[in-house]
Amino acid sequence: MHAVISGAGIAGPVLAYWLCRYGWRVTVVERAADLRAGYGGHAVDLFGPAVDVVERMGLLDRVRENRTRNDTITLFRTGRAPIRLDTAVLATGIADRHVEIMRGTLAGLLHEASRDDVDYRFGTVIERLDGASVQLSDGSTISADLVVGADGLHSGVRGLAFGPEEDYRHFLGAYLAVYTLPDVLQAGPTVAAFNAPGLAVAVYPTQEPGGSRALVLARTSRLISRDPADQREAVRDLVGDALGPRVSAVLAHLDAAEDFYLDDISQIRMDSWSRGRVTLVGDAGYGPGPAVGGGTSLAAAGAYVLAAELNGAGTDGVEAALRRYESALSGPVQHSRRVGPSVLSAIVPRTRAQVWVAAQAMRLLPRLPRPVRSRLTSFGGGPAAMLDGLVLP
Ligand SMILES: Cc1cc2nc3c(=O)[nH]c(=O)nc-3n(C[C@H](O)[C@H](O)[C@H](O)COP(=O)(O)OP(=O)(O)OC[C@H]3O[C@@H](n4cnc5c(N)ncnc54)[C@H](O)[C@@H]3O)c2cc1C
């Protein structure tokens, strides 16, 4: 049995690892010229079952060793004293088992665990799809038993097999931007947070000394173009000087940032994400919204479940395995669609009153009894709870 997987992010390598364990031949094509490993990207979360998945791959110790050290969050407010909170207090209601790690570092560890058995082809994409036969940009053709799009929010396989992204993208009314900059805030090992109606900015130190990474979340209904110069201008425009001089100093590094990335916060909503022997996994099929939805956990757990359903399936059994995979994931995926809007409401307040309430909540949380804290920080049964119903095979 031969699988071709598009995308070497999170879901792709997890799926590739397990399919190899189950005796499959696996080719992974990745559009990027090389692995975006190291400390690049942004911080992502593994909750509950997703922690179990990396543990079953023998990677949990290394994941923990490489976790981010953002152990406190400091809310800066113009003209008032900052409020500092242990992130463990905020995580009370999120999950019993939780690790935060940079996406690039996690992708690197997953690739390392699978690379000896998997035929990884970087700088390569699927150009044509005919049933489960693929034509690749490196000139080769593979007649596979299964084709999987693990190629993220803007999935190429989804486009080829299911049609345009617009048909499945559900905009949540906000944009996010991330970029690396020198540690201009000098706030120490903490997530420096700022908010105003419709805006939230977080800046945290990278593991490379002297560096920090900024995450900007802004509510807007306006459409921002795909041109990187326009995008930087749009971020400056949306934030303005609403968040004070510290954030202005952070914005001053926008133009110099080589890794600037902006995207709309949208979910991928599909009634079904398999067709014949083609399927989608992770953000490609059910992205719950970047930065607000716990997509990394859903991607890792989804890939593991898909591999387990395919274990032992011959070519004739692939379509039935894909139906079982969709049915196992349907509860968490439905739940995930409620998470993004509720997390967005919590971290990007809409009004001055909500900004004030958020600050008071941060002040009060550590003093509340654990069960009350747990309820208040669960974001309405948020990113971790969506995986509660999922029993890993
Ligand atoms: C700024 C930001 C902050 C985030 N914060 C969090 C967070 O705090 N917590 C959390 O859990 N999640 C967070 N996420 C979401 C998280 O990164 C994703 O949910 C997760 O990476 C999904 O994994 P995936 O494997 O499905 O897709 P991805 O990790 O996106 O991987 C897809 C891979 O496919 C490749 N690719 C794309 N197109 C093609 C193509 N046509 N052919 C071949 N390869 C292709 C890409 O280069 C990439 O390597 C955040 C996302 C962003 C952008």
Side-chain angles (χ1 to χ4, degrees):
M1 299 289 280
H2 190 171
V4 174
I5 301 172
S6 172
I10 307 303
V14 171
L15 177 63
Y17 173 93
W18 287 103
L19 284 181
C20 286
R21 292 279 295 262
Y22 301 146
W24 286 58
R25 237 176 98 197
V26 180
T27 302
V28 175
V29 296
E30 163 59 51
R31 187 179 54 188
D34 50 37
L35 190 70
R36 296 174 197 171
Y39 299 126
H42 44 270
V44 298
D45 304 283
L46 294 171
F47 298 117
V51 177
D52 297 342
V53 169
V54 295
E55 186 169 33
R56 290 181 191 189
M57 293 172 75
L59 291 175
L60 187 54
D61 287 345
R62 294 196 61 204
V63 165
R64 284 206 171 118
E65 274 162 31
N66 285 283
R67 73 181 174 86
T68 59
R69 311 277 157 172
N70 302 326
D71 293 336
T72 63
I73 175 162
T74 308
L75 180 67
F76 287 95
R77 301 171 305 155
T78 316
R80 296 187 186 176
I83 305 173
R84 184 168 290 211
L85 183 68
D86 282 350
T87 42
V89 172
L90 268 181
T92 321
I94 297 182
D96 291 338
R97 266 158 69 85
H98 170 224
V99 190
E100 186 186 79
I101 182 169
M102 297 305 285
R103 179 191 167 281
T105 310
L106 179 60
L109 290 172
L110 296 170
H111 172 256
E112 213 179 299
S114 54
R115 70 180 168 204
D116 289 346
D117 301 314
V118 174
D119 165 25
Y120 275 101
R121 300 190 194 179
F122 286 89
T124 308
V125 298
I126 296 177
E127 281 183 337
R128 291 188 57 192
L129 191 58
D130 179 11
S133 288
V134 293
Q135 192 178 313
L136 304 181
S137 59
D138 64 4
S140 58
T141 303
I142 299 176
S143 188
D145 299 287
L146 170 73
V147 177
V148 183
D151 41 6
L153 277 179
H154 308 296
S155 165
V157 171
R158 189 182 56 231
L160 291 171
F162 297 90
E165 184 170 316
E166 294 71 55
D167 293 354
Y168 306 107
R169 198 171 66 195
H170 181 84
F171 180 49
L172 297 185
Y175 280 80
L176 63 79
V178 273
Y179 60 99
T180 302
L181 70 158
D183 184 14
V184 289
L185 294 184
Q186 299 274 310
T190 189
V191 179
F194 306 82
N195 62 20
L199 286 174
V201 171
V203 185
Y204 52 91
T206 54
Q207 279 150 312
E208 286 148 343
S212 68
R213 192 157 280 120
L215 168 68
V216 178
L217 297 166
R219 288 183 188 276
T220 177
S221 52
R222 99 183 207 209
L223 216 64
I224 299 179
S225 91
R226 297 255 162 228
D227 179 324
D230 289 354
Q231 293 184 338
R232 287 174 160 92
E233 205 42 54
V235 172
R236 267 191 287 269
D237 224 49
L238 284 166
V239 180
D241 52 12
L243 293 168
R246 283 193 181 85
V247 172
S248 299
V250 169
L251 289 186
H253 289 268
L254 260 177
D255 287 333
E258 285 172 10
D259 61 352
F260 172 82
Y261 167 91
L262 178 134
D263 211 344
D264 47 273
I265 303 190
S266 292
Q267 299 184 327
I268 298 300
R269 295 187 177 180
M270 304 180 79
D271 294 335
S272 163
W273 53 87
S274 307
R275 191 163 286 174
R277 283 183 283 134
V278 179
T279 193
L280 304 173
V281 65
D283 276 7
Y286 35 83
V292 294
T296 307
S297 290
L298 201 53
Y304 180 89
V305 169
L306 171 57
E309 294 299 350
L310 288 162
N311 185 10
T315 306
D316 291 345
V318 167
E319 291 189 30
L322 298 186
R323 284 194 291 277
R324 291 194 300 275
Y325 153 62
E326 287 207 13
S327 132
L329 262 266
S330 84
V333 167
Q334 292 298 331
H335 189 145
S336 76
R337 293 177 185 165
R338 301 194 294 274
V339 171
S342 106
V343 171
L344 202 56
S345 298
I347 58 180
V348 192
R350 286 175 189 278
T351 62
R352 288 204 170 283
Q354 287 173 354
V355 169
W356 183 83
V357 169
Q360 301 320 307
M362 263 186 87
R363 203 196 291 282
L364 279 175
L365 267 179
R367 294 181 221 152
L368 296 174
R370 193 181 162 89
V372 180
R373 225 194 296 158
S374 189
R375 277 191 65 153
L376 289 175
T377 55
S378 71
F379 298 119
M386 76 189 172
L387 294 174
D388 278 355
L390 187 68
V391 179
L392 292 182

